[in-house]
């Protein structure tokens, strides 16, 4: 573990990935309050919402309202998820509120088709239109490759194929590539090898890990990714959100569990864990159910406890 | 990770550590059924019960019944937890049903006093009577040092102190030393350093890690322990049991999450994950509540899924 970084980037994706997956739509003022609480944790990157069709994802139909209303300090790089050119048009309508966009596709044909009803090649072609336009507008760009570590429909996904897709997206203008373990199939050995290879195979851009805690191994995969040279992560406060496959399963790793582990290891994130837990407690109150984050229940490690 | 072992030992502690922590006492026939289901998973070590005072831990008052009734294959090494000489007397009354005993103390004075109302020195003195008697009776012996990675009352616990205690217990007859992260304070960097040192500082005996998933980092600590040379783990099916500090927190790592991760990494345990999940589903049915294990919800990773 001698190569572990002194600090890492954390992108909080709960306001998009988490809110999108809530069966009951969260009221816009509640979203704004949670975004503002998160924006004051010291987190430097936040995926705030997504410009998607309201009939497909009604949970994020208020994207413009949230973006225009939330008071977010300049230090926070605001990103929105953009599925296609129409989504980019929506985002560009709020250009002054946005710093980054994230685009996505799946590395496996079946998952991509089920998710966005296109072939991988069709998705790449679409992103080859979206990414340059975003760059021209001065936006930073992340491309997320879902099912990078395995597909629930196809099984193994060859890293060579994932890297090839990543390189094409970089060539189209992506400045950061995220690799998603969309249904939590990755194991630490695989993850470490993947990132060790990725840093050579996809050079010149930031590489980000997006793990799910589907089988409880999310933070073990973070550790393995760190060992493989990854220094950028995406996570969701309260362990909100994720993927509905398998049914009932946990999704994203919890930001507070990630931050607790990293800080205990002496790796900086810029995030105040106490403030982050306040945001998760507020989400728990708004949603009216216990959330899956462990640190939210247990509290931070207290090394100064008195007997 | 080049030094990872090809196989590890897993001791299933749910029937003791899990059942002991259930507020509603589990009926003896239900315990027997669960023990028998576990005994047919291929697990090679199981802590089946504990000989403790029934007025202190009424949940395990049926220790003798469970031991005498459960049909456990010879391949499974049956252990019982023994707090003191009286507990050993109880265990020796069922000598032919038992292969191992586990004894315990805490590395921190405050935790030991709150847990067993003795100083660490008094506990060691007691174990110096228990361990030789167990060895004379032909039993294998494990000594577990709780709060090895931190104490909720005292904070940091010096590894040198933990190793000193471990060496004294080995001198008294312990053939295996378990190190407990009793309230989930350990981080992977600390764990890797700890086990790297422990293999030198406590030579000649098996070293076992007993992690809790208090802040979601349990399997990350398993990975770090593997990297530090540890090849023996304790865990609890269904994520049952644990420690009531902090209040409401998760305890032990789930055996199925541990086994899923290890098998995905190509590390053998001898355990059939499908059968293990059957045991956890049965525990869930008996207890009438969802258990904390992730793999129990998500199911094993399926690399052969057809689209």
């Amino acid at each position: 573990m001698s190569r572990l970084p002194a600090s890492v980037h954390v992108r909080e994706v709960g306001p998009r990935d988490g809110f999108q997956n809530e069966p009951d739509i969260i009221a816009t003022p509640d979203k704004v309050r949670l975004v503002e609480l998160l924006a004051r944790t010291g987190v430097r990157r936040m995926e705030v919402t997504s410009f998607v069709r309201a009939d497909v994802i009604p949970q994020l139909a208020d994207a413009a309202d949230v973006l225009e209303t939330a008071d977010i300090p300049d230090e926070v790089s605001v990103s929105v998820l953009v599925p296609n050119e129409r989504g980019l048009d929506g985002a560009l309508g709020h250009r002054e509120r946005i710093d980054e966009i994230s685009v996505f596709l799946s590395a496996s044909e079946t998952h991509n088709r089920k998710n966005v009803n296109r072939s991988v090649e069709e998705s790449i072609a679409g992103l080859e239109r979206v990414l340059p336009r975003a760059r021209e507008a001065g936006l930073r760009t992340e491309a997320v490759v879902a099912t990078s570590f395995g597909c629930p429909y196809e099984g193994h996904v060859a890293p060579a194929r994932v890297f090839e897709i990543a390189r094409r997206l970089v060539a189209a203008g992506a400045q950061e590539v995220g690799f998603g373990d969309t249904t939590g199939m990755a194991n630490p050995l695989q993850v470490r090898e993947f990132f060790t290879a990725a840093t050579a195979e996809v050079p010149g851009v930031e590489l980000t890990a997006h793990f799910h805690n589907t089988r409880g191994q999310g933070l073990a995969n973070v550790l393995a990714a760190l060992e493989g040279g990854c220094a950028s992560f995406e996570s969701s406060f309260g362990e909100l959100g994720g993927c509905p496959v398998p049914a009932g399963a946990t999704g994203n790793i919890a930001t507070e569990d990630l931050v607790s582990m990293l800080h205990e290891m002496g790796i900086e994130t810029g995030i105040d864990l106490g403030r982050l837990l306040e945001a998760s407690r507020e989400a728990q109150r708004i949603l009216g159910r216990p959330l899956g984050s462990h640190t939210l229940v247990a509290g931070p490690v207290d090394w100064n406890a008195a007997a």
Side-chain angles (χ1 to χ4, degrees), chain A residues 187-268:
Chain A
N187 71 72
L189 208 55
Q190 173 191 13
V191 165
R192 191 191 189 202
E193 286 170 5
F194 182 96
F195 277 99
T196 302
T199 49
E201 295 275 349
V202 191
V205 293
E206 183 169 23
L207 304 182
T208 295
H210 182 124
F211 292 124
H212 282 198
N213 199 31
T214 314
R215 291 170 181 88
Q217 81 296 53
L219 293 187
N221 285 334
V222 167
L223 177 62
L226 287 167
E227 293 173 350
C230 176
S232 176
F233 298 91
E234 294 183 344
S235 57
S236 181
F237 75 127
E239 207 175 88
L240 287 172
C243 175
V245 179
T250 295
N252 298 294
I253 56 172
T255 308
E256 49 266 47
D257 292 349
L258 172 67
V259 167
S260 175
M261 185 177 89
L262 292 170
H263 287 190
E264 290 297 315
M265 294 173 72
I267 299 173
E268 282 311 312

Side-chain angles (χ1 to χ4, degrees), chain A residues 102-170:
Chain A
S102 288
V103 300
F104 63 97
L105 81 176
S106 303
S108 78
E109 289 293 340
T110 314
H111 193 273
N112 202 59
R113 199 165 279 286
K114 285 184 185 263
N115 202 32
V116 295
N117 199 28
R118 295 182 189 184
S119 70
V120 171
E121 203 54 49
E122 287 166 343
S123 274
I124 292 174
L127 298 182
E128 285 173 341
R129 294 189 297 272
V130 171
L131 287 165
R133 284 188 56 205
R135 290 291 298 277
E136 281 162 28
L139 290 164
R140 190 172 180 278
T141 52
E142 181 203 22
V144 176
V145 185
T147 65
S148 282
F149 302 92
C151 169
Y153 309 113
E154 297 185 11
H156 290 283
V157 173
R161 173 65 175 147
V162 177
F163 300 151
E164 181 202 340
I165 293 169
R167 280 190 300 263
R168 288 181 64 185
L169 299 173
V170 171

Side-chain angles (χ1 to χ4, degrees), chain A residues 31-51:
Chain A
K31 289 181 180 173
V32 169
R33 188 161 70 257
L34 291 172
V35 165
E36 291 179 344
L37 284 171
L38 289 167
R40 278 156 186 79
T41 61
V43 72
R44 294 173 196 130
R45 294 175 172 175
M46 189 177 353
E47 194 171 274
V48 172
T49 186
S50 177
F51 283 94

